[in-house]
Amino acid sequence: MDWTLFAIFLAACVAAGTTGAMFQPGDWYKKLDKPDWTPPDWVFPVAWTALYLCIAAAASRVAGQPGSAMAMGFFALQIALNTLWTPVFFGLRRMAAGMIVLVALWLAVAAMIVTFWQIDWIAGTLLLPYILWVTIAGALNWSVWRRNPNEPAITPAE
């Protein structure tokens, strides 16, 4: 594994994760009706730290390998969508739009797993917890959206 590439991909993951600090769930999210299986708050930073380390490790194993252009394209797409979800859901409180972002993210992660696996099966395997977590996040987003149909979104100032 190229440690310089790992650091670069980890920096991209940290940048995506920074939106979690900028757009925290806060009282709005705490007051929403959520399913009983909602993970406790402490699980999210622990899970994302582990996932971002796995994502960066997987990407550093694949980047620079012959035929990795498509895989790196899917890395770029998923990290952009990963970055987008938090401000959409928590910042703007747009649960339906958050669901759309999560569906697109799930598809991008699935495509990333397939393309990474074709180049390096270890890299593909490192991403399996990520798609599981995005699946759980999607189910949670869907459930919260359906349980709180009248929750208003924030309208940005014009």
Side-chain angles (χ1 to χ4, degrees), residues 50-51 54 109 113 124-136:
L51 291 170
C54 288
V109 172
I113 290 170
T125 302
L126 283 167
L127 298 174
L128 294 177
Y130 185 25
I131 199 157
L132 175 62
W133 187 253
V134 173
T135 301
I136 293 167

Side-chain angles (χ1 to χ4, degrees), residues 12-154:
C13 290
V14 169
T18 301
T19 61
M22 295 171 61
F23 298 96
Q24 295 184 7
D27 289 336
W28 169 78
Y29 184 71
K30 288 178 185 171
K31 293 177 185 174
L32 294 176
D33 181 22
K34 294 181 283 304
D36 294 338
W37 50 267
T38 301
D41 291 346
W42 67 266
V43 170
F44 293 91
V46 172
W48 277 113
T49 298
L51 291 170
Y52 284 145
L53 288 168
C54 288
I55 293 165
S60 67
R61 291 181 65 90
V62 170
Q65 296 296 323
S68 66
M70 186 70 68
M72 292 296 94
F74 283 121
F75 172 86
L77 177 59
Q78 70 77 29
I79 204 70
L81 292 166
N82 181 308
T83 304
L84 181 61
W85 183 83
T86 303
V88 168
F89 189 89
F90 291 121
L92 297 174
R93 301 179 184 171
R94 296 185 182 267
M95 292 183 267
M99 193 69 231
I100 292 167
V101 172
L102 270 175
V103 168
L105 175 60
W106 193 96
L107 292 170
V109 172
M112 186 172 70
I113 290 170
V114 170
T115 56
F116 275 38
W117 195 293
Q118 291 169 343
I119 296 165
D120 181 329
W121 70 270
I122 295 172
T125 302
L126 283 167
L127 298 174
L128 294 177
Y130 185 25
I131 199 157
L132 175 62
W133 187 253
V134 173
T135 301
I136 293 167
L140 183 57
N141 189 144
W142 177 267
S143 181
V144 170
W145 173 36
R146 302 317 308 155
R147 289 168 173 259
N148 301 277
N150 299 319
E151 192 63 35
I154 291 178

